[in-house]
Amino acid sequence: QLVESGGGLVEPGNSLTLSCAAAPGRIFSRSHMAWFRQAPGKGREFVAIVSRGGGNTKYEDSVKGRFTISRENAKNTVHLQMNSLKPEDTAVYYCAADPAILTAPLSVNPDDYPYWGQGTQVTVSS
């Protein structure tokens, strides 16, 4: 029900925007939405999350100030704007949905997310 797009090969220092489109329905509007990533040989790592209403966000320390997560509830879409990309950002990026009440905390634990996209590859290399 989640489809990522926008991945690709970019040189260090450049930018890329990922998008995740959700199937029509209530899941998206009722979910905190997050991006995770997984590099070869590593576990799935939290990147960023935006709350149901879009008012609260949280970022992994290494991407703070470089990445921005946003959502368009009318279009069932969440974006990840990635600037100043580094080789260590290379990974498969996954979109995930956590259906939650409005006051639920923003989780960085992938086990709390029942809905996942198929992933999109981001490679940062010169």
Side-chain angles (χ1 to χ4, degrees):
Q1 298 188 2
L2 301 175
V3 179
E4 301 96 336
S5 62
L9 171 63
V10 294
E11 294 185 348
N14 283 358
S15 300
L16 206 58
T17 300
L18 305 182
S19 296
C20 171
R26 295 182 176 182
I27 291 178
F28 182 85
S29 63
R30 294 183 176 183
S31 295
H32 298 329
M33 297 298 298
W35 289 94
F36 290 81
R37 65 187 179 186
Q38 188 165 15
K42 296 187 176 181
R44 197 160 292 189
E45 173 189 43
F46 165 76
V47 177
I49 182 175
V50 60
S51 60
R52 281 178 50 173
N56 293 317
T57 58
K58 183 185 293 185
Y59 296 92
E60 194 270 330
D61 286 345
S62 70
V63 307
K64 285 180 181 178
R66 299 189 298 122
F67 290 12
T68 302
I69 188 171
S70 61
R71 65 189 295 162
E72 298 181 79
N73 283 347
K75 296 183 178 180
N76 284 1
T77 303
V78 61
H79 307 285
L80 184 68
Q81 172 69 43
M82 305 185 294
N83 298 327
S84 302
L85 283 161
K86 304 175 181 180
E88 50 264 43
D89 294 318
T90 295
V92 177
Y93 283 70
Y94 298 90
C95 171
D98 175 19
I101 61 174
L102 278 173
T103 56
L106 305 182
S107 174
V108 302
N109 184 349
D111 292 337
D112 291 333
Y113 291 78
Y115 300 102
W116 291 84
Q118 82 290 346
T120 185
Q121 176 70 47
V122 172
T123 302
V124 185
S125 175
S126 54

